[in-house]
Amino acid sequence: MMENMQYAEELLREFLIFRGFTNTLQTFETELSTDIGRSFQVDKILDLIFSVYIPKYQADKLISLLNFFKQCFSSSSEVLLISTLSKLEVSILRYYIVHALQSGRQDKVVEFLGANGNYLLQKREDWMPWFAIPYIKNPNLDPQFYVYFSKEWFDALLLSFRNFLSEIFNGTRIPALLKISTEKNAVKHLKNDIKQLNHKLSQLQALLETKEAEIFRLRNMSPAAQDSSMLQDTSSISDLSSENSSKDNGGNPRIKDFSEANATVPSHLGERILGPNNVDSSGSSSVPQESKCELGSCSLSQPPFGNDEARDDLQISQAASRRDMLREEEFPEIKVDFQETFLGHTSPISRCRFSASGINVASASMDGTVRIWTYDSSTPTSRNATIYCGAEIMSLDWECRSDRLLLIGTADGGIKAWNVDAKRVVCDLSTTTEFPSVLDLKCSPVEPIFVSAAASRRHGSNKLDKVGFASLTVWNMKTWKAMTVLPLGEDPPAITSLCFNHNGKILAASAIDGMIHMFDMSAGLQITGWPAHDSAVSSVLFGPDETSIFSLGCDGKIFEWSLQNQGQVLWSRDCSRFCYPESLKICRHEIALDANGRRLLVTSGSVRSPIYQVQGHMSGLRTLPHTAAITSVDWHPTLPIFITGSADHSVRVTSIL
């Protein structure tokens, strides 16, 4: 309690300094220096009313203070308190009149009734006789008023008001500023606890990975090699045992235990045990509470997924795990500040995006569900929502000028605009039937427009093989109508990724034929393009200074292309060792650049994602693993925080040191 009180005092000091109330600050500091109990002091309130406001005829301040007390009670459960305070208010105001008459100041009574007459009559009708009291010769002898002039009545009023204030402010009621201090300190302690738990979790995960790698190595050795390895271990242990026996004339029980431990390896070692709701039994994860908002125009049915697809996802995830063990040893793990895991989805994650302010997160899953949530416990959850769209979500983008609209693109040609404050769909658009797959959506950072990259369908084995020709449409976000279709030529290959530059004048688009296209949005024309990859380009991003552009191919190759010297490669990496081609059945690989433009986060179907240093000589880092392939990534717009969505149905927010 003392710590919370001190924090509340610091908040008040900060406010007084900010507003320039220096005289008030000096008085506040003086009173703090003489304060002992640091609790509610009812006598000072009584002195303020009965020794300052009433004797000095400060009626406005008196009524303002009484109204403030009434504002403290707002809930319907406090009707009795409000009624009691209203009765006390009437008695205090009547004492104000009585005191003025006893002091011979009838003029103050007339002034008071003239200024506050309407207010008094609205409260109680029995105030009417009091308007005549200034003109009665001896009101203390009048049968209607004499009781108010008695000392017994004043003492009863003083005692009643004292008891009321003591009961309220020394009981369950806590000042709002103190509540904020209490909650702030609680959040601070919880964050420290979470940080310690995350550190412990990282240690346990590292130990688990070591054991899994050892098991994998043993399982992949030939039987003869296993026998030879075991024989060498046994021989070395026997030699050590013999050596100790010659010295101590006895066996060493610790060596015996070690030998027995190496003789058999439990087959279940290293498997993660998940409790109810897919919560890891080694720790708990906080799931934000969300209000489920049904869409009038959206189908609430969720497409079922067959056993074959679930089995494919499992096989992909297991194969990705085995590949990571073999090819990621040289990449050090990131150092985690804190980590939050959201477990609100029931199918693999298709997309996850931070809002333009970084306060909210939108995550989508293949069952057609979009969830909006917060990862910081101190952030209001008023925008949290669950949106059912009835089709697989293929693209998400936040409107970055107001941070209030979320655009959702589906596999059945739907484009929905969700208002996070109103919690409803404000517009429901559709692409043409020839182009039903909305692969990407991008809002202009300046103008009220967005561009949709839709594609036709065809038969194929993975996400990119199943799309055919492209259509790029520019939409007006005020009228919610199509403005123009950007030219791509005859039968253009599908566009997979879009990106605006900082002023919205240039749009970059990547295609499945390996091309990168650049458009002038003012003219609505393509200004250049070049072949960037031998395979489909799955993601494209402008560099931090916008003199270059990054691209990720399905073959795992990353290039930074110069925009000043077209075709020149400024930087490149080959992350094919992290890429698992079969993962394209469940996701499209993508890249994300941090706010400083120095770190590039890649998703390529692995249970981990590499983070490459674009500037500097470091080879890269690797994220902590999910239990299945990572399917989507994004960086916080201003902070060193990133988000990863996975086929294990979870979304993880990670802050790095």
Side-chain angles (χ1 to χ4, degrees), residues 331 555-558 571-579 612:
F331 274 72
D555 55 4
K557 293 179 180 179
I558 307 172
W571 177 89
S572 66
R573 287 292 184 273
D574 185 353
C575 67
S576 58
R577 56 182 172 178
F578 298 103
C579 287
Y612 290 103

Side-chain angles (χ1 to χ4, degrees), residues 476-544:
N476 188 308
M477 297 180 70
K478 290 184 176 180
T479 62
W480 297 109
K481 293 182 179 179
M483 296 171 58
T484 185
V485 176
L486 297 177
L488 286 168
E490 186 178 355
D491 296 334
I495 299 297
T496 58
S497 178
L498 301 170
C499 185
F500 276 103
N501 71 333
H502 75 285
N503 58 15
K505 292 184 177 180
I506 303 297
L507 177 73
S510 61
I512 59 173
D513 62 349
M515 289 289 294
I516 293 178
H517 305 276
M518 306 290 284
F519 295 88
D520 182 344
M521 295 303 295
S522 300
L525 298 173
Q526 183 174 175
I527 53 177
T528 188
W530 67 93
H533 291 261
D534 295 331
S535 62
V537 185
S538 58
S539 188
V540 66
L541 282 176
F542 275 100

Side-chain angles (χ1 to χ4, degrees), residues 9 13 27-36 38:
E9 292 167 0
R13 282 193 189 93
T27 304
F28 177 62
E29 296 288 357
T30 301
E31 292 193 350
L32 277 182
S33 64
T34 59
D35 184 32
I36 299 176
R38 293 201 174 191

Side-chain angles (χ1 to χ4, degrees), residues 52-104:
V52 179
Y53 289 165
I54 292 177
K56 294 184 178 182
Y57 307 109
Q58 298 176 354
D60 292 342
K61 293 182 179 180
L62 175 62
I63 293 175
S64 178
L65 179 62
L66 295 173
N67 285 334
F68 168 75
F69 286 141
K70 285 189 288 186
Q71 290 174 4
C72 294
F73 312 110
S74 56
S75 66
S76 57
S77 62
E78 296 175 320
V79 174
L80 181 60
L81 294 176
I82 296 173
S83 175
T84 303
L85 182 57
S86 297
K87 293 177 181 178
L88 288 170
E89 178 191 25
V90 170
S91 297
I92 291 171
L93 295 179
R94 287 177 176 177
Y95 177 72
Y96 177 93
I97 295 174
V98 168
H99 179 272
L101 292 173
Q102 288 176 332
S103 303

